[in-house]
Amino acid sequence: EPDDGDFVSIKRHIPDILVDLKYATQDNISGQVIYDFDWAPLRYGTVKKLMAAQAALREQGYGLLVWDAFRPPAAQFVLWEAFPDPRYVADPHRKFSNHSRGNCVDVTLVKAQGEPVEMPTEFDDFSPRAGRTYEELAPEVAAHARLLEEAMLQAGFVPYEAEWWHYTDAV
């Protein structure tokens, strides 16, 4: 078994989790591919927590779709150039993103078979709707967001207030 600090593939350890790394495509705030891998690496200790969240959601007929995991520091510079707002993108000139440490993940909720469910926003939506208040959302959308948040909190992740999809493993 790997050490908790070792980088591993999420899919290798959680085969039923879905992965669509947005920064390995042009479907992100930068409009360009900013890293060239699609195997979703994270620290093994973080993957174990993600495994717990996936298991809890599976029992309720849902699952996780990973949008971002480990992010190389060079990719952080590209993101900062595309959207230099420290509320949403960590300034790489000041500090590393937790994504670059391999202990942060961007996820959304899907049905167990992989069908999307309606969430507050799409990925990389840096508007007030991306926050965690959920007050102005349709009840079903708010319930989905809360279900995701509850599973991630119970697994040991810390949510980021400005992005409903962003969770950090407080290692």
Side-chain angles (χ1 to χ4, degrees):
E1 185 163 307
D3 289 332
D4 282 354
D6 291 345
F7 278 70
V8 299
S9 166
I10 295 171
K11 285 287 287 179
R12 180 167 182 244
H13 295 277
I14 314 172
D16 66 333
I17 202 166
L18 299 177
V19 175
D20 177 16
L21 296 180
K22 295 297 187 180
Y23 298 128
T25 72
Q26 295 178 349
D27 184 17
N28 63 69
I29 195 73
S30 75
Q32 60 183 310
V33 173
I34 65 168
Y35 51 68
D36 63 355
F37 54 86
D38 62 3
W39 62 281
L42 279 178
R43 293 176 52 264
Y44 184 57
T46 303
V47 169
K48 289 190 296 188
K49 291 180 179 180
L50 202 58
M51 194 180 309
Q54 177 75 353
L57 289 167
R58 188 183 310 118
E59 289 177 8
Q60 299 177 66
Y62 292 94
L64 295 170
L65 168 63
V66 176
W67 281 331
D68 192 25
F70 168 74
R71 184 186 306 154
Q76 192 66 32
F77 280 93
V78 174
L79 282 177
W80 181 254
E81 289 174 18
F83 202 84
D85 184 335
R87 290 176 297 172
Y88 301 106
V89 179
D91 180 351
H93 301 283
R94 295 181 164 262
K95 64 178 183 173
F96 278 109
S97 163
N98 283 321
H99 283 285
S100 298
R101 292 181 176 90
N103 67 322
C104 189
V105 64
D106 293 339
V107 293
T108 190
L109 187 69
V110 293
K111 292 183 183 172
Q113 299 76 24
E115 297 91 18
V117 298
E118 193 173 356
M119 296 300 282
T121 67
E122 296 296 320
F123 183 62
D124 272 358
D125 179 319
F126 301 135
S127 72
R129 284 182 56 96
R132 293 187 179 273
T133 59
Y134 312 138
E135 293 168 359
E136 297 181 16
L137 301 175
E140 183 179 30
V141 176
H144 290 153
R146 286 187 185 100
L147 178 63
L148 173 62
E149 187 170 325
E150 180 180 313
M152 296 298 282
L153 284 167
Q154 287 180 354
F157 287 91
V158 177
Y160 178 56
E161 288 304 310
E163 297 172 348
W164 62 263
W165 58 83
H166 182 101
Y167 293 90
T168 301
D169 175 3
V171 211

